[in-house]
Amino acid sequence: MIRITDGIYAAIWRSLRENNCNTYLIEKDGDRILVDPGHFHLLRHWETGLEKRHLSRSDIKVVVITHGHPDHLEGAAVFDGYAKVAIGEKEYAWLKKWAPSWEPDLLLREGDLKVGSIALKVIETPGHSPASICLYLPDKKALFTGDVIFRDGLGRTDLPGGDGQKLKESIRKLASLEVEYLLPGHGEPVIGSKEVARNFRQVEEYWFQFI
């Protein structure tokens, strides 16, 4: 895992052979959240990073899933008995139709999320999926965007429940935040407030015409 800033680490998926998502670790005062564990068979990209920091899955308190696509969700299965798994309440309502046997421990709504000493904002951002969520860490000005917006790109809308107009609205909603670190579900992070603002502008000016 690479260090993004104090208390935020990233396992960036760079393989061109198989799809998987980026996974992020948030930690403060011994409390730890893992964001999007990825595919079940591709866990080593973050497990190795934990091991190098002398941590394991048993050190994670909560796992947050930004949306219900397999490349973000599957790996949550390895946390049974270790950590609480959380997903947006509205996303889970949709996901039950496709994966009725999967059940999270926590259902999230838009608003504050407190995990020990870690204080986050949950932001509902539909469009790529019916009710995906993003996470905002105010004290670091860090935004975990799942597949809503990437570096120089945005999430696809042609999968079940995708909606181009809702995705535009979600991206505009995120653009109003004060962000120093934009941490997407795929591709490289965007670091620096000016670069983040430029990225939001470029995505709207170029990509919005295609959705």
Side-chain angles (χ1 to χ4, degrees):
M1 283 189 161
I2 61 170
R3 178 182 175 276
I4 300 295
T5 187
D6 247 6
I8 302 176
Y9 298 83
I12 306 299
W13 184 258
R14 295 190 173 99
S15 171
L16 300 177
R17 296 182 178 181
E18 191 165 6
N19 176 60
N20 199 27
C21 72
N22 296 336
T23 299
Y24 296 98
L25 174 69
I26 306 168
E27 64 177 9
K28 185 178 182 181
D29 299 335
D31 299 309
R32 297 180 182 88
I33 297 172
L34 196 79
V35 181
D36 285 345
H39 274 303
F40 185 83
H41 66 293
L42 297 173
L43 300 179
R44 291 302 295 167
H45 84 294
W46 58 261
E47 282 191 320
T48 301
L50 289 184
E51 289 165 4
K52 287 180 179 177
R53 304 192 63 249
H54 307 289
L55 300 171
S56 70
R57 64 183 69 159
S58 64
D59 293 298
I60 306 300
K61 184 173 279 188
V62 173
V63 177
V64 177
I65 310 299
T66 59
H67 61 288
H69 293 158
D71 59 325
H72 292 252
L73 170 70
E74 276 186 355
V78 304
F79 286 96
D80 285 351
Y82 292 106
K84 301 289 187 183
V85 175
I87 194 169
E89 183 177 51
K90 294 176 183 177
E91 186 80 349
Y92 177 60
W94 167 77
L95 185 61
K96 280 195 299 186
K97 302 172 186 176
W98 306 90
S101 63
W102 185 79
E103 292 186 6
D105 301 294
L106 302 170
L107 294 175
L108 304 177
R109 296 178 180 177
E110 182 160 282
D112 296 331
L113 171 63
K114 195 94 179 328
V115 178
S117 57
I118 303 171
L120 291 159
K121 300 285 187 184
V122 176
I123 305 168
E124 293 180 352
T125 50
H128 170 65
S129 72
S132 67
I133 58 170
C134 293
L135 299 175
Y136 181 58
L137 187 60
D139 65 345
K140 300 294 181 182
K141 299 178 183 177
L143 180 63
F144 302 84
T145 63
D147 286 2
V148 174
I149 186 170
F150 309 122
R151 175 186 283 274
D152 301 324
L154 44 67
R156 57 192 294 183
T157 57
D158 59 335
L159 298 172
D163 186 307
Q165 185 57 41
K166 288 183 179 179
L167 185 60
K168 291 176 184 179
E169 293 167 2
S170 293
I171 291 172
R172 289 184 177 123
K173 182 178 181 180
L174 296 178
S176 68
L177 298 170
E178 191 175 353
V179 178
E180 189 72 25
Y181 305 97
L182 191 154
L183 305 171
H186 300 274
E188 299 297 319
V190 183
I191 296 177
S193 57
K194 290 183 179 178
E195 275 301 298
V196 171
R198 179 208 61 80
N199 195 74
F200 275 115
R201 285 195 307 272
Q202 179 174 325
V203 166
E204 178 161 358
E205 290 169 3
Y206 181 73
W207 288 106
F208 276 22
Q209 66 185 307
F210 297 112
I211 61 173

